[in-house]
Amino acid sequence: VSTQSTWEAVVSTQSTWEAVVSTQSTWEAVVSTQSTWEAVVSTQSTWAEDPKSRLNPCHAHDLKNGQWVIADKCGLPGKVSSLKMSKTGKHGHAKFTYKLTLEHSKKTEQPMHPGGDHLEWAEMRKVDYDFSYTEPEEIADWGDAEDGIVKIFAMDENYEEMELKLDIKNDARAKVVTAVKKAIEEAAEDADGGARAVMMVFEGPRHMGGKVDILQIISDAKVVTGD
């Protein structure tokens, strides 16, 4: 959860989550004591929109592969794939089964719904944040990070600091970890000081217990020069 006071993951018993509740002491999603999440709940004070505006109602029969919907069990946004329709008997109602890939937890679900069931589409966005520093500070010391979670501090467009997290021990995140390290090192090596590392963050709504938050997770990193 970016440097916000109200963010993060959902099922606190996860030991492999990447989502994080920014600098929250009470958790990003449901259980605030999580120290191993990467995904973060963004309660940025600079947000001009209501997180609920990132959700739109739909029915199961409206689903298409590639769309993002809210998962039944954990309230996280997931990407639909392997969508199939079936009918039970001559006059049976259509039922839809699909695979839901949850980017913020690296988990999957296999929901099944009658066509008329009410679901929620999730509006996902990619947002860039300027890198500031990490804890541990030196990349060479990242291996000492508690639970393998490196804290990455970055600035939003209003120069407010936020806390992101990166799970360096999760094999599924190896590509992202490499990209983050490379961007930080290349920006630091720029003799002119005109280069900066940018964290590319994937954001989407989580709907849990009647509350809607915006989850954040680092999806890539790059080096930008100039203003």
Side-chain angles (χ1 to χ4, degrees):
V1 176
S2 180
T3 53
Q4 294 354 70
S5 60
T6 62
W7 247 85
E8 235 323 302
V10 174
V11 182
S12 117
T13 54
Q14 290 306 101
S15 60
T16 57
W17 263 79
E18 323 177 343
V20 185
V21 178
S22 194
T23 54
Q24 290 339 86
S25 60
T26 61
W27 245 79
E28 330 160 6
V30 174
V31 185
S32 114
T33 55
Q34 228 32 31
S35 61
T36 56
W37 266 74
E38 274 190 75
V40 188
V41 177
S42 166
T43 51
Q44 279 175 281
S45 60
T46 55
W47 271 52
E49 64 179 338
D50 183 343
K52 292 181 180 179
S53 68
R54 301 276 290 273
L55 295 173
N56 293 290
C58 67
H59 293 95
H61 60 68
D62 297 321
L63 292 178
K64 295 180 180 179
N65 286 323
Q67 291 180 329
W68 289 80
V69 296
I70 296 299
D72 299 329
K73 297 179 181 179
C74 63
L76 295 172
K79 191 174 185 178
V80 176
S81 63
S82 303
L83 178 64
K84 296 179 181 178
M85 182 187 75
S86 61
K87 287 189 176 182
T88 56
K90 184 176 180 181
H91 301 291
H93 296 289
K95 290 187 177 181
F96 294 81
T97 59
Y98 52 97
K99 178 180 178 181
L100 205 57
T101 301
L102 312 176
E103 177 66 21
H104 293 83
S105 66
K106 300 304 177 185
K107 303 295 182 181
T108 60
E109 291 187 9
Q110 300 285 341
M112 179 179 70
H113 287 283
D117 275 11
H118 294 275
L119 303 175
E120 291 178 305
W121 275 319
E123 181 184 338
M124 310 299 290
R125 297 178 186 173
K126 289 186 177 181
V127 183
D128 291 350
Y129 296 99
D130 286 351
F131 169 77
S132 183
Y133 65 97
T134 67
E135 291 182 358
E137 185 173 356
E138 300 296 331
I139 291 179
D141 297 328
W142 282 11
D144 298 329
E146 184 177 358
D147 296 316
I149 301 294
V150 173
K151 295 180 181 179
I152 296 181
F153 295 86
M155 307 290 285
D156 65 15
E157 60 183 4
N158 294 313
Y159 302 102
E160 289 196 16
E161 185 180 83
M162 62 174 56
E163 179 186 324
L164 302 167
K165 293 184 181 180
L166 186 65
D167 186 351
I168 63 171
K169 293 185 178 180
N170 185 345
D171 291 341
R173 298 284 285 160
K175 185 177 180 180
V176 174
V177 172
T178 297
V180 169
K181 288 181 177 179
K182 182 179 179 181
I184 293 173
E185 290 174 337
E186 287 186 4
E189 292 170 357
D190 179 34
D192 297 329
R196 66 184 190 279
V198 174
M199 301 297 106
M200 303 166 70
V201 178
F202 196 46
E203 301 183 345
R206 179 200 62 194
H207 194 176
M208 189 74 177
K211 182 179 181 181
V212 180
D213 294 310
I214 301 298
L215 286 177
Q216 298 174 308
I217 190 169
I218 299 173
S219 61
D220 204 347
K222 61 185 177 182
V223 174
V224 175
T225 58
D227 296 333

